[in-house]
């Protein structure tokens, strides 16, 4: 698996946040299948250990785990130190950890809102800041920031945080792509993962099954996009067809559509 024309022949290493479930778990499997060594990050150490054992058994790769709550400064800095390490450097960073606040803005808990923005926008910035200098020195590297199609719609504070990730990815990719460092915002729509289940059954969007995207396809498209040096990729084809409408429909209509399933 090559990162760029300047890529070394040594095995690559990827660090994945939110690796124990959903897109993070899928990224781990797809990268391990390509011979990429892994550093898996999530809060649940037991789930990480089980996933690491499974990956080692299926693929010939090295897998290490870091149990960390990235909304805690000390834990985040432990992960940033691993990203900055020059011994066995991290070549690929997948910023995937996240959660949602279901309550409306007028009634949500402010501490939850702060945690959401720290995890969804500050953590990707912090880890990118840790990764970029070393990647520039080596002349290659990938960063995938998992955003959302919500970044393009008036969908509350979740969409606002994801919009920040998209903006950051565009800026970094524009600045560093010619120096071999690719930064991509991966923007999926609804995914059949634990994300919505963790918010409770009553919070699951009532939409047709056709609207749910396949996580394996989303990850494949994200890896292709970052290899190509694209700053933003909307995944999958259904959402690529719908996204242009967000530029022409009134915000009030988009907001009404986004809250129809609340």
């Amino acid at each position: 698996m090559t990162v760029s024309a300047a890529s070394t022949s040594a095995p690559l290493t990827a660090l994945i946040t939110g690796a124990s479930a959903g897109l993070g778990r899928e990224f781990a499997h797809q990268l391990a299948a390509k011979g990429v060594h892994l550093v898996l990050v999530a809060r649940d150490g037991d789930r990480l250990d089980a996933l690491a054992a499974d990956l080692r058994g299926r693929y010939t790769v090295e897998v290490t785990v870091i149990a960390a709550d990235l909304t805690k400064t000390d834990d985040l800095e432990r992960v940033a130190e691993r990203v900055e390490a020059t011994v066995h450097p991290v070549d690929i960073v997948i910023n995937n950890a996240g959660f949602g606040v279901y309550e409306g803005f007028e009634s949500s808990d402010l501490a939850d809102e702060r945690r959401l923005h720290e995890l969804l926008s500050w953590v990707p910035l912090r880890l990118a800041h840790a990764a970029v200098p070393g990647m520039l020195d080596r002349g290659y590297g990938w960063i995938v920031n998992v955003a959302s199609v919500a970044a393009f719609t008036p969908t509350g504070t979740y969409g606002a945080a994801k919009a920040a990730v998209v903006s950051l990815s565009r800026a970094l990719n524009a600045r560093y792509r010619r120096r071999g460092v690719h930064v991509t915002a991966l923007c999926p729509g609804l995914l059949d993962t634990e994300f919505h289940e963790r918010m409770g059954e009553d919070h699951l969007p009532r939409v047709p099954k056709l609207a749910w995207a396949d996580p394996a396809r989303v990850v494949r498209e994200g890896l292709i996009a970052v290899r190509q040096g694209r700053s933003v990729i909307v995944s999958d084809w259904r959402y690529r067809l719908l996204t242009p409408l967000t530029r022409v429909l009134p915000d009030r209509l988009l907001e009404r559509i986004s809250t129809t399933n609340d």
Side-chain angles (χ1 to χ4, degrees):
M1 183 180 189
T2 58
V3 171
S4 70
S7 175
T8 161
S9 60
L12 302 177
T13 297
L15 182 142
I16 306 169
T17 69
S20 62
L23 282 185
R25 188 182 187 93
E26 184 62 35
F27 268 111
H29 275 281
Q30 291 197 25
L31 288 169
K34 297 177 183 297
V36 177
H37 298 323
L38 300 173
V39 180
L40 307 179
V41 181
R43 291 184 301 170
D44 191 329
D46 291 339
R47 292 187 72 176
L48 283 181
D49 288 339
L51 174 59
D54 180 41
L55 293 168
R56 294 187 197 106
R58 291 181 185 230
Y59 314 105
T60 310
V61 295
E62 298 174 5
V63 185
T64 60
V65 303
I66 303 176
D69 181 344
L70 295 176
T71 64
K72 296 181 178 178
T73 300
D74 290 346
D75 283 8
L76 175 57
E77 290 308 309
R78 282 197 295 117
V79 176
E81 287 176 7
R82 178 61 187 92
V83 173
E84 292 170 338
T86 56
V87 178
H88 304 299
V90 170
D91 308 288
I92 304 168
V93 175
I94 310 292
N95 282 307
N96 169 71
F99 72 97
V101 174
Y102 178 73
E103 290 79 9
F105 186 71
E106 74 282 0
S107 57
S108 62
D109 184 272
L110 189 59
D112 289 341
E113 295 284 8
R114 180 168 182 169
R115 287 180 57 245
L116 180 142
H117 277 266
E118 287 179 350
L119 188 58
L120 270 56
S121 58
W122 164 243
V123 168
L125 188 154
R126 176 66 186 98
L127 296 185
H129 194 267
V132 165
M135 290 179 174
L136 291 174
D137 286 344
R138 294 187 295 274
Y140 66 91
W142 292 355
I143 300 173
V144 177
N145 294 321
V146 177
S148 169
V149 294
F152 310 112
T153 62
T155 49
T157 54
Y158 180 84
K162 291 299 190 180
V165 173
V166 171
S167 182
L168 174 70
S169 303
R170 293 178 62 196
L172 297 182
N173 198 55
R175 181 177 292 266
Y176 300 121
R177 178 184 173 186
R178 291 186 180 181
R179 298 175 63 182
V181 178
H182 297 178
V183 184
T184 297
L186 171 61
C187 301
L190 291 172
L191 290 167
D192 187 12
T193 67
E194 295 180 12
F195 180 88
H196 294 285
E197 293 174 6
R198 289 198 301 266
M199 295 172 68
E201 263 185 45
D202 293 341
H203 299 170
L204 288 171
R206 295 185 294 274
V207 296
K209 189 174 181 180
L210 180 65
W212 295 85
D214 174 33
R217 176 182 295 175
V218 170
V219 167
R220 284 195 301 271
E221 291 184 352
L223 292 175
I224 290 171
V226 73
R227 185 179 69 232
Q228 294 174 340
R230 299 175 62 181
S231 59
V232 181
I233 173 70
V234 174
S235 182
D236 57 20
W237 64 269
R238 290 161 287 196
Y239 290 97
R240 282 194 289 273
L241 289 176
L242 292 173
T243 299
L245 294 177
T246 65
R247 303 187 187 103
V248 296
L249 293 177
D251 282 354
R252 286 190 63 185
L253 177 58
L254 290 170
E255 194 276 338
R256 190 177 306 163
I257 293 171
S258 70
T259 57
T260 296
N261 300 299
D262 288 358

